[in-house]
Amino acid sequence: MIGDNKELMAEIGRIAEVAGYLWTKGWAERNGGNISVNVTDLMTEQEKALPALGAPYPLLAPMTALCGHIFYVTGTGKRMRYVAQDPFAHGSVIRIAVDGTSFDIIAEQPIPSTSELPSHLMMHNYLRSCGRDNKVVLHTHPTDLIGFTHCQPFLDSEKITRVLWSMIPECRIIVPKGIGIVPYEIPGTLDLALATIKQLEKHDVVFWEKHGILAVGEDIIECFDAIDTLSKSAQIFFAARMAGYEPEGMTDQQLDDLVLAFGL
Ligand code: 13P
Ligand code: ZN
């Protein structure tokens, strides 16, 4: 039934497109990474009221800003390369309960949601409660960016932001709020979720130490582009290092000129 909803299916198509990029980029080994997209505005009233496909799943904390909201969420253990081919066989549409304390899977198949759902929903909840029109949380495992998080001096928001911004002007423009850092936490935990939402006060992209990257935004293509641009900067940095020299990086003045030129 939801397959007849053209707007929803177009958004699901964009999710599949990005899932394919994550795989071809080499950022999605096995089941690495996960995606959630708020599709509430794309659903008809009838679709929003679809019956649950099984028992409700309790949430670790109440999502008071998400009551009744509907998300497409990739499934736990599912591979991005297959999400790209068939998003409804490797993810599901979930509806947060009216009291925000649980969720139901409502379409198309009862595929259990990603283990990172606590972080994803807490991020959606936090951003909505701040009035930010956030629809997307994208988590992935880019080799080059994770590499930086294995080096203590780079586990510093200002330092890593400055290095990556200064590799190429686009990085300053496309990731204007820089990078937040979350020290290592066990994947899928509430502690990881809580540490992550703290970083969203200032940033739209967060690095999880020795694990991966998260981007939030209004549009899944833009979330992908932000991570892709950071990855490009990381590759320039490492390529220079491998060639045996320290990359000079853009100067403070050159970076500041971009702020003026692009109204950042
Ligand atoms: P899931 O398969 O549960 O989405 O986990 C993948 C992952 O990247 C965990 O951080
Ligand atoms: Zn991960």
Side-chain angles (χ1 to χ4, degrees):
M1 175 174 152
I2 59 172
D4 297 334
N5 180 332
K6 285 205 177 70
E7 265 192 288
L8 175 68
M9 292 314 288
E11 184 61 19
I12 300 292
R14 279 186 286 272
I15 295 169
E17 178 188 338
V18 167
Y21 298 154
L22 301 182
W23 166 247
T24 51
K25 281 276 178 188
W27 299 350
E29 75 293 339
R30 197 175 184 273
N31 61 313
N34 24 73
I35 300 171
S36 63
V37 178
N38 191 329
V39 292
T40 314
D41 294 344
L42 307 176
M43 310 276 287
T44 64
E45 292 309 312
Q46 212 182 355
E47 288 164 346
K48 287 182 195 169
L50 280 169
L53 302 177
Y57 295 76
L59 291 168
L60 296 177
M63 297 296 141
T64 48
L66 300 180
C67 302
H69 279 251
I70 303 193
F71 295 83
Y72 170 84
V73 182
T74 53
T76 186
K78 300 297 185 188
R79 289 154 172 84
M80 283 296 156
R81 58 186 187 268
Y82 302 139
V83 173
Q85 290 171 8
D86 190 349
F88 285 136
H90 302 276
S92 50
V93 178
I94 68 167
R95 178 181 55 223
I96 311 297
V98 283
D99 65 359
T101 62
S102 65
F103 71 90
D104 289 313
I105 298 178
I106 59 169
E108 289 266 74
Q109 302 171 38
I111 310 279
S113 299
T114 170
S115 58
E116 300 293 3
L117 199 65
S119 285
H120 283 246
L121 289 183
M122 218 169 254
M123 293 169 87
H124 285 289
N125 190 64
Y126 169 77
L127 292 164
R128 278 201 68 78
S129 62
C130 301
R132 280 158 73 177
D133 187 23
N134 177 77
K135 295 214 161 41
V136 180
V137 176
L138 171 60
H139 165 58
T140 185
H141 296 173
T143 314
D144 39 27
L145 297 177
I146 296 170
F148 270 107
T149 74
H150 284 263
C151 181
Q152 274 304 321
F154 290 123
L155 290 173
D156 173 278
S157 170
E158 271 184 42
K159 166 90 177 158
I160 186 73
T161 298
R162 178 72 178 75
V163 167
L164 293 176
W165 273 356
S166 76
M167 289 297 112
I168 184 170
E170 278 71 12
C171 197
R172 177 71 185 88
I173 299 162
I174 291 164
V175 191
K177 294 188 191 168
I179 298 150
I181 299 283
V182 171
Y184 182 80
E185 293 284 356
I186 295 176
T189 57
L190 190 61
D191 284 344
L192 181 59
L194 290 169
T196 306
I197 58 166
K198 247 196 117 12
Q199 294 305 315
L200 295 182
E201 290 165 16
K202 290 194 186 150
H203 310 284
D204 289 333
V205 181
V206 175
F207 285 15
W208 282 347
E209 179 183 347
K210 300 176 186 134
H211 177 167
I213 313 305
L214 276 122
V216 302
E218 292 170 29
D219 179 281
I220 188 156
I221 304 287
E222 278 173 18
C223 286
F224 170 79
D225 287 341
I227 301 174
D228 192 30
T229 306
L230 289 165
S231 169
K232 167 66 67 137
S233 281
Q235 286 172 53
I236 296 166
F237 178 87
F238 288 126
R241 282 285 186 96
M242 279 190 281
Y245 62 92
E246 186 68 24
E248 193 169 84
M250 296 162 64
T251 63
D252 285 341
Q253 185 63 56
Q254 287 169 335
L255 287 168
D256 289 348
D257 287 349
L258 293 172
V259 176
L260 276 181
F262 290 86
L264 301 172

